Amino acid sequence: MSYSEAKEKYAKLGIDTDAAIAKLKDIPVALHCWQLDDVKGFDQDGPLTGGIQTTGNYPGKAMTPEQLFADYEKVFELTPGTKKINVHASYAIFEKGEWVDRDALEPKHFKKWVELAKKHHAGLDFNPTFFSSPRVKDGLTLTSPDEETRQFWIRHGQACLRISEYFAKETGIPCVMNIWIGDGYKDIPADRLGPRLRYKDSIEQILSVPYDRDLVKPCVESKVFGIGVEAYTAGSAEFTLSFAATHEGVMPLMDNGHYHPTEVVSDKIPALMCFYPEFALHITRPIRWDSDHVVLFDDETREMAKEIVRCGGIGKIHMALDYFDASINRISALATGYRSWQKALLEALCMPHAELKRLQDSNELGRKMVLQEAVKLLPLGEIWNEYLRREGVVDDFGFYDEIEKYEKDVLSKR
Ligand code: RNT
Ligand code: ZN
């Protein structure tokens, strides 16, 4: 089937696939640098902490800023659409012989990231790194009862606000700054309130430094549990939603790996749309737990994209990918997850939402179900291929040959 034949089929349902392609091309989605090196970063040599874990030992991972940037460039080449670059504070790039701790990070340590972003006309998002550091005391950062530790991490958050503002000024694109901490307890706590009150106060202190609210968009990410902190995490869903609801200019961030396994973020998106003018998402794929597998074109991913589109969330919901698989080629992992999310958005943009809503509201639920099922078999693949052609990007069948070539030419020499 040709694109024009496929386009005809959609047109019969009142769907303009050219308009969908044009819209998709401009929707920014943040690509996370930490898939490329198993969340290692450049500022420390210790293990990954914070209750998150990468598994696998696929060869060729990026070990220097140069390698990581080269891999990023490859991912850009293999993906259509508008990207943001998502950077963690642990990816600071120091001059030879230089090193500063997290509370002393400055914009200059991220100059090379700005250069990369500018080269690709991309925006930058930022994340303070409240893990993988000897300054994490007893597994705690912003909730620590040790005031010196807590203040260190507050200063880190403040430093990150300044860096976020620098990113936004340099690129001309607002920077989403996401606060996530792994603070919690392995077993039944004796005090659940104290850590949360300290966390609340810590975020307030971080946000008390002056910054341009049009340029920096802070958000707080919730989590139900982490490895080694199974009984209690301070930054629970209720905590972060309530914090964002009561602090002007702060958004909640929902990571779809951070809920009980039968909860779905697709259903939470319209709930938040009722109350928040803007919010953020981490798009991942949990299997049995927050395993952070590569995002695929699966049912829940598609349902999330549908909700974003039909709730009018484009432009209001800040989308970022967040997963880390060390068992396969990491460039393939990053690009595949991004391409899957693009497919999900494209499908959502090519659906007869108005008609489906009408059928729901008039209680024609059998007809609604049949139409929902029928649109699943529309020739989306042809629209996807046309999008890739227009963007000058390799199709799904040629994709892995490009990866293999890069592996042979570049990764195998590391
Ligand atoms: C961890 C959170 C968090 C991290 C990144 C590296 O469970 O999802 O977003 O994945 O900050
Ligand atoms: Zn996340």
Side-chain angles (χ1 to χ4, degrees):
M1 185 186 290
S2 66
Y3 172 67
S4 60
E5 284 167 323
K7 182 177 152 156
E8 269 301 297
K9 286 201 185 273
Y10 280 93
K12 284 203 178 108
L13 290 169
I15 297 159
D16 180 346
T17 53
D18 286 329
I21 288 174
K23 181 141 198 198
L24 178 59
K25 190 169 78 63
D26 293 331
I27 301 174
V29 176
L31 273 165
H32 53 309
C33 72
W34 52 93
Q35 163 59 66
L36 295 172
D37 75 338
D38 312 341
V39 209
K40 179 99 189 50
F42 306 135
D43 75 339
Q44 55 91 34
D45 242 338
L48 175 60
T49 68
I52 53 178
Q53 200 167 66
T54 56
T55 56
N57 196 18
Y58 198 83
K61 90 165 167 210
M63 281 167 311
T64 63
E66 293 70 31
Q67 291 177 352
L68 194 118
F69 278 32
D71 293 356
Y72 236 124
E73 300 266 1
K74 196 69 205 170
V75 173
F76 271 81
E77 218 180 282
L78 295 171
T79 48
T82 302
K83 294 118 199 167
K84 290 185 95 177
I85 295 177
N86 206 354
V87 186
H88 244 286
S90 52
Y91 291 77
I93 301 174
F94 300 117
E95 298 283 327
K96 221 178 148 50
E98 185 199 12
W99 181 83
V100 300
D101 213 339
R102 300 252 172 96
D103 65 336
L105 287 171
E106 289 178 55
K108 69 175 183 194
H109 301 123
F110 295 88
K111 190 167 169 278
K112 294 215 167 97
W113 284 105
V114 167
E115 285 163 12
L116 180 72
K118 282 186 176 166
K119 185 170 163 198
H120 293 279
H121 309 287
L124 283 157
D125 286 341
F126 200 48
N127 308 260
T129 310
F130 296 106
F131 53 83
S132 301
S133 157
R135 302 302 295 249
V136 179
K137 192 176 172 207
D138 306 327
L140 306 176
T141 61
L142 293 177
T143 74
S144 178
D146 175 59
E147 196 51 22
E148 200 185 312
T149 298
R150 195 169 76 93
Q151 285 302 326
F152 172 86
W153 289 108
I154 289 171
R155 289 196 302 278
H156 174 54
Q158 294 171 339
C160 288
L161 269 182
R162 291 189 282 270
I163 295 159
S164 300
E165 192 172 66
Y166 158 74
F167 279 176
K169 279 189 176 145
E170 287 289 325
T171 59
I173 299 168
C175 173
V176 174
M177 189 189 97
N178 178 41
I179 297 174
W180 171 73
I181 59 168
D183 292 29
Y185 288 99
K186 181 181 173 70
D187 224 322
I188 318 299
D191 177 16
R192 288 187 167 90
L193 177 61
R196 289 190 173 131
L197 287 173
R198 287 191 289 274
Y199 190 19
K200 174 172 179 274
D201 176 74
S202 298
I203 309 171
E204 284 167 352
Q205 287 197 44
I206 290 171
L207 301 176
S208 70
V209 301
Y211 65 93
D212 186 332
R213 283 161 176 251
D214 292 329
L215 295 182
V216 181
K217 294 171 177 282
C219 54
V220 191
E221 177 179 11
S222 70
K223 190 162 178 174
V224 65
F225 83 95
I227 297 173
V229 287
E230 288 84 359
Y232 169 86
T233 48
S236 61
E238 296 74 16
F239 177 91
T240 58
L241 286 177
S242 306
F243 189 94
T246 53
H247 292 74
E248 175 125 42
V250 179
M251 302 185 289
L253 183 148
M254 296 192 291
D255 178 314
N256 65 305
H258 289 191
Y259 298 87
H260 290 286
T262 59
E263 285 182 74
V264 282
V265 163
S266 53
D267 186 62
K268 299 175 192 298
I269 289 167
L272 264 57
M273 284 293 296
C274 300
F275 299 99
Y276 294 94
E278 284 181 84
F279 59 92
L281 290 180
H282 271 180
I283 301 148
T284 186
R285 182 166 54 103
I287 298 191
R288 305 192 194 284
W289 67 290
D290 180 31
S291 58
D292 283 304
H293 281 66
V294 175
V295 171
L296 300 178
F297 185 62
D298 61 16
D299 285 354
E300 172 55 10
T301 305
R302 294 160 67 195
E303 202 61 23
M304 281 165 51
K306 270 186 243 169
E307 287 300 345
I308 293 170
V309 168
R310 67 187 172 203
C311 293
I314 301 292
K316 297 180 183 166
I317 301 175
H318 301 272
M319 301 168 223
L321 303 174
D322 179 21
Y323 50 79
F324 19 95
D325 189 339
S327 74
I328 55 174
N329 180 296
R330 295 168 184 81
I331 295 142
S332 174
L334 187 53
T336 299
Y338 178 89
R339 289 169 67 114
S340 303
W341 181 243
Q342 290 265 297
K343 276 180 204 163
L345 286 172
L346 181 63
E347 180 186 48
L349 289 165
C350 292
M351 285 186 71
H353 294 297
E355 175 63 4
L356 286 164
K357 274 185 202 172
R358 190 191 67 75
L359 292 172
Q360 175 174 318
D361 291 344
S362 58
N363 205 36
E364 294 172 76
L365 302 183
R367 185 174 280 281
K368 181 216 65 179
M369 180 191 280
V370 169
L371 181 55
Q372 278 174 323
E373 287 301 286
V375 298
K376 284 182 183 170
L377 296 190
L378 284 171
L380 185 70
E382 292 312 317
I383 317 300
W384 171 247
N385 283 335
E386 179 65 14
Y387 174 50
L388 294 175
R389 267 194 297 274
R390 289 185 192 175
E391 289 282 281
V393 169
V394 64
D395 72 10
D396 287 352
F397 292 102
F399 173 82
Y400 207 81
D401 292 340
E402 297 288 318
I403 296 288
E404 225 161 53
K405 189 168 178 297
Y406 187 73
E407 200 162 282
K408 191 163 157 282
D409 296 346
V410 181
L411 303 186
S412 68
K413 302 198 170 110
R414 286 183 182 161

